[in-house]
Amino acid sequence: MTASKASSRVIPIRDFSSCSYCSVRRLCLPHGVNDDDLQTVEKIVEHRPHYDKGDHIFHQSSKFSSLFAIKSGSVKTFGVTRDGKEQITGFHFPGELLGLDAICNEVHNCNAVALEQTVVCEISYDNIESMVGEIPSLHSDFARLMSKELRRDDEMLMILGNMSAEQRVSCFLYNLHRRMKRQDDVQDEIHLPMTREEIGNYLGLSLETVSRRLTGLQQADIITVHNRSIKLQDIERLRSHCM
Amino acid sequence: MTASKASSRVIPIRDFSSCSYCSVRRLCLPHGVNDDDLQTVEKIVEHRPHYDKGDHIFHQSSKFSSLFAIKSGSVKTFGVTRDGKEQITGFHFPGELLGLDAICNEVHNCNAVALEQTVVCEISYDNIESMVGEIPSLHSDFARLMSKELRRDDEMLMILGNMSAEQRVSCFLYNLHRRMKRQDDVQDEIHLPMTREEIGNYLGLSLETVSRRLTGLQQADIITVHNRSIKLQDIERLRSHCM
DNA sequence: CGAGACGTTGAGTCCGCTCAACGCCCGTGG
DNA sequence: CCACGGGCGTTGAGCGGACTCAACGTCTCG
């Protein structure tokens, strides 16, 4: 393997838990590290907490000091309303960064809970700030990350604003598909790490409605449902259901 | 008037269109400028476009190059779905920054349209980036701003997720009140720059429902409605309706 | 002062919610 | 091995809140 095509070389096994595929690796790894050094470098990253299903990564109202990059697994973030109900504001997957909404006042705005066995990198925000001081170009990366998060939220606002139940579920699956497809070789099969109730909570629907719409999409030969695994039979038609 | 209490001195006339009250002034003004120099400095800011009601500040899918800080007036941002309907994702007021969601791929994700006569400061993003390079502490300010925007979006997701029509309208008014109260001396009176239809679109309700809920809140002696001006008669009870 | 945009109110409909029953899967313990 | 139980998912019946459609009232601005 030559080093001539450094930026586009093929990585033999797609290990998405490695730093190579992490969208925030420029934030936690030393400046100027190249791809070949990554495997060495990532072994010295310090905090790599493992979480089981149901474990809290951080709590609402707790003091913010670190961001968390998801290496493997999946996470839900949710707020708790004053009458005690939880409202899910997002599902998060490997390569994504948690805790950005806590920067503004250094208090976590939501709870983050693992939906399955999950590994994250804890990145001290002080470290990030001092690294941005030394390497100003990191600011751009960081701003882009936050901007992307804003865009995702706005997309969700558009879904919740005026879409029907069927459209919401279709959008949910389609977006999941788009986010997953860098992660699975089997691109047209999604494994849902969350319950129907959690999907409904997120989409502003009851769990029964989620269930009904999934079977509806199945009867239309658009998907095949097997418990939590969803096979996308006709992605184009799924996409057309989103509008 | 002594200058001894520099950080809490009284500013005679609260001119919220001045840079003194702008949340992003550290981004567009030279480093280290103190409050007393502001009035001089802000006269040399270059781009200060004026917009009339209905004017576009930027268009969805157009190339991103600047952020826009609102100096006076108000703005709605909205996306257009594939079937041509608009979905409002936010209302924006003086001191707030528009265009943050376009940083990630340099294309505007939404339209921004003035709801009334509006003045903004156009701030070249290249300028911001190079200033962050020179003054690293600006990075923190910028990250805080984006984080705050994320938090606002998440709050909205919680509202749209499971609240009833009455709760949505109450939350809308209460949030508006909180954002307004730094801007108006008459703190318990809100002037709405948008139509019922735009409120409904934003809240995921029909315009008729918005109208009905407003009269409902009026009949409960919580607010008094006079066209677009809403007098908050009982803020505590309004707040309790939000949950 | 007239036209059009905006807002209110009423009547009827429908989508999604609630309540309820049942089935499936799986781990646990007798 | 089966029984049991709990979590999760599906399906049905009936209800209700928000939407749609429609008419009318009111404000704004040329």
Side-chain angles (χ1 to χ4, degrees):
Chain A
M1 196 196 305
T2 67
S4 58
K5 297 195 291 181
S7 63
S8 65
R9 74 203 168 81
V10 175
I11 286 157
I13 297 167
R14 291 182 150 221
D15 173 13
F16 286 99
S17 68
S18 89
C19 296
S20 313
Y21 279 86
C22 181
S23 67
V24 294
R25 69 179 198 218
R26 287 207 65 196
L27 295 175
C28 48
L29 294 174
H31 178 52
V33 63
N34 61 39
D35 286 352
D36 294 317
D37 292 334
L38 274 177
Q39 288 192 20
T40 317
V41 172
E42 66 179 312
K43 282 175 187 143
I44 60 171
V45 173
E46 288 188 40
H47 295 286
R48 283 265 176 83
H50 286 59
Y51 297 95
D52 285 330
K53 178 179 170 176
D55 287 349
H56 272 257
I57 297 168
F58 52 77
H59 286 80
Q60 194 167 15
S61 303
S62 67
K63 181 152 172 37
F64 162 77
S65 60
S66 301
L67 298 171
F68 298 86
I70 303 174
K71 291 189 75 59
S72 66
S74 53
V75 175
K76 67 172 172 180
T77 48
F78 61 96
V80 176
T81 58
R82 267 172 290 177
D83 52 341
K85 284 184 293 187
E86 78 176 46
Q87 176 60 48
I88 295 174
T89 54
F91 296 113
H92 308 276
F93 299 97
E96 296 180 20
L97 204 51
L98 300 173
L100 292 171
D101 58 342
I103 292 173
C104 64
N105 63 352
E106 305 199 329
V107 171
H108 282 294
N109 192 32
C110 60
N111 300 276
V113 166
L115 292 169
E116 57 191 318
Q117 281 211 349
T118 295
V119 181
V120 306
C121 284
E122 182 171 351
I123 313 168
S124 150
Y125 189 62
D126 286 345
N127 278 359
I128 292 182
E129 287 210 309
S130 61
M131 281 179 62
V132 172
E134 291 166 28
I135 314 158
S137 72
L138 281 183
H139 168 77
S140 306
D141 295 85
F142 196 67
R144 256 194 294 275
L145 272 169
M146 296 194 77
S147 174
K148 198 166 183 176
E149 201 68 25
L150 272 173
R151 181 166 290 217
R152 220 198 302 276
D153 275 7
D154 279 358
E155 214 171 290
M156 200 57 208
L157 288 178
M158 290 194 60
I159 290 173
L160 293 177
N162 67 359
M163 284 193 185
S164 68
E166 177 157 322
Q167 290 174 315
R168 290 179 199 212
V169 173
S170 301
C171 276
F172 177 72
L173 293 178
Y174 184 68
N175 286 339
L176 230 49
H177 164 67
R178 287 194 309 171
R179 285 159 80 182
M180 293 294 200
K181 69 179 173 187
R182 0 161 231 188
Q183 288 176 48
D184 282 321
D185 290 333
V186 192
Q187 292 194 5
D188 52 357
E189 187 133 11
I190 298 174
H191 179 74
L192 304 173
M194 71 293 280
T195 67
R196 303 288 192 266
E197 182 171 17
E198 287 166 327
I199 297 172
N201 181 304
Y202 179 55
L203 295 177
L205 300 171
S206 71
L207 66 95
E208 294 95 332
T209 299
V210 173
S211 180
R212 277 186 248 270
R213 294 306 130 191
L214 284 176
T215 56
L217 290 172
Q218 182 169 33
Q219 279 161 9
D221 292 323
I222 296 175
I223 63 175
T224 309
V225 183
H226 257 301
N227 304 318
R228 293 199 181 177
S229 119
I230 311 278
K231 181 110 181 257
L232 307 183
Q233 303 286 5
D234 190 339
I235 293 174
E236 199 38 53
R237 237 153 41 94
L238 179 68
R239 203 177 77 92
S240 74
H241 272 246
C242 294
M243 41 170 269
Chain B
M1 196 197 305
T2 67
S4 58
K5 299 196 287 181
S7 64
S8 65
R9 72 204 171 80
V10 174
I11 288 159
I13 297 167
R14 292 181 151 222
D15 174 12
F16 286 99
S17 69
S18 91
C19 295
S20 314
Y21 279 87
C22 183
S23 67
V24 295
R25 69 180 199 219
R26 287 205 64 198
L27 295 175
C28 48
L29 293 174
H31 179 51
V33 62
N34 61 40
D35 285 354
D36 293 318
D37 292 334
L38 274 177
Q39 286 191 22
T40 317
V41 172
E42 66 179 312
K43 281 174 187 146
I44 60 171
V45 174
E46 288 190 38
H47 295 286
R48 284 265 176 80
H50 286 60
Y51 297 94
D52 285 330
K53 177 180 173 178
D55 286 350
H56 272 259
I57 297 167
F58 52 76
H59 285 79
Q60 195 167 13
S61 306
S62 66
K63 181 153 173 38
F64 162 77
S65 60
S66 301
L67 298 171
F68 298 85
I70 303 175
K71 291 191 74 62
S72 66
S74 53
V75 175
K76 67 171 173 180
T77 48
F78 61 96
V80 176
T81 58
R82 269 172 289 175
D83 51 342
K85 285 184 294 190
E86 79 177 46
Q87 176 58 49
I88 296 174
T89 54
F91 296 113
H92 308 275
F93 299 98
E96 297 179 19
L97 203 51
L98 300 173
L100 293 171
D101 59 341
I103 292 173
C104 63
N105 64 352
E106 305 200 329
V107 171
H108 283 293
N109 192 33
C110 59
N111 300 277
V113 167
L115 292 169
E116 57 192 318
Q117 281 211 349
T118 295
V119 182
V120 307
C121 284
E122 182 172 353
I123 314 167
S124 150
Y125 188 63
D126 286 344
N127 278 358
I128 292 181
E129 288 211 308
S130 61
M131 280 179 65
V132 172
E134 291 166 28
I135 313 155
S137 72
L138 281 183
H139 169 75
S140 306
D141 295 87
F142 196 67
R144 256 194 294 276
L145 271 169
M146 294 193 79
S147 175
K148 197 165 185 180
E149 200 67 25
L150 271 173
R151 181 165 291 218
R152 221 200 301 279
D153 276 6
D154 280 358
E155 214 170 290
M156 200 57 208
L157 288 178
M158 291 194 60
I159 290 173
L160 293 178
N162 66 0
M163 285 191 183
S164 68
E166 178 158 321
Q167 289 174 314
R168 291 179 198 211
V169 173
S170 301
C171 277
F172 177 72
L173 292 178
Y174 184 67
N175 287 338
L176 230 49
H177 164 67
R178 285 196 308 171
R179 285 158 80 182
M180 293 295 201
K181 70 179 174 189
R182 358 161 233 186
Q183 289 177 45
D184 281 319
D185 289 333
V186 192
Q187 291 194 5
D188 53 355
E189 187 133 11
I190 299 175
H191 178 75
L192 303 173
M194 72 292 280
T195 67
R196 303 290 192 265
E197 182 170 19
E198 287 166 328
I199 297 172
N201 182 304
Y202 180 55
L203 295 178
L205 301 170
S206 71
L207 67 97
E208 294 94 332
T209 299
V210 173
S211 181
R212 276 186 250 270
R213 294 305 131 191
L214 285 175
T215 56
L217 289 172
Q218 181 169 34
Q219 279 160 9
D221 292 323
I222 296 174
I223 63 175
T224 307
V225 183
H226 256 301
N227 305 321
R228 294 200 180 176
S229 118
I230 311 278
K231 181 110 182 253
L232 307 184
Q233 303 286 3
D234 190 339
I235 293 175
E236 200 39 52
R237 234 147 53 86
L238 180 68
R239 203 178 76 94
S240 73
H241 271 248
C242 293
M243 42 171 268

